[in-house]
Amino acid sequence: MTPQLILGDFPFTVASQTQYEGLVRASSSGWKKQGRVGQKPKKHLSEIPLDRITLKGKWFGENAESAMTKLRNMRFEPHVLSNSQGINLGFWTIESITENQKRIGRDGLAQIAEFTIVLEESPDE
């Protein structure tokens, strides 16, 4: 089955029960305003900001804990990000991972793990 997204060697896919439910990509312009006496501010392009992607979803069963552990271990270096068409989106870093465990079983493992993962573009890699 074709992955929805691949970060490094981590596939987000239905087959491995690590699919995500939503993706938001934010791209800023980098335009800044500079005030001028008696006139409207002047805008200038000060930088080209880095894009951010936020992934949200739920993982069910035993795979959730191992998937979250693997992603946490990936936080400390940039990874190639590819989409479902196999298009390379460049290098990205994991900026944050938020996990919300629900329906904790007698063994202490969560039956459901809701997650939010924030990625940031890393173009210099």
Side-chain angles (χ1 to χ4, degrees), residues 61-116:
E62 299 172 4
N63 288 348
E65 189 169 338
S66 63
M68 294 304 297
T69 298
K70 182 169 185 175
L71 285 165
R72 281 193 179 89
N73 290 334
M74 294 172 63
R75 290 176 294 166
F76 307 110
E77 58 186 84
H79 301 279
V80 173
L81 183 66
S82 303
N83 66 15
S84 60
Q85 289 82 38
I87 296 172
N88 180 339
L89 302 173
F91 282 90
W92 293 72
T93 56
I94 298 172
E95 295 299 305
S96 67
I97 298 174
T98 305
E99 177 183 5
N100 182 11
Q101 294 185 2
K102 295 184 172 187
R103 295 191 188 159
I104 310 301
R106 290 183 182 191
D107 57 2
L109 296 176
Q111 298 298 311
I112 301 171
E114 297 175 339
F115 65 89
T116 302

Side-chain angles (χ1 to χ4, degrees), residues 48-60:
I48 299 174
L50 301 173
D51 281 5
R52 289 177 84 88
I53 291 177
T54 302
L55 301 171
K56 291 187 178 195
K58 293 178 189 170
W59 289 331
F60 299 92

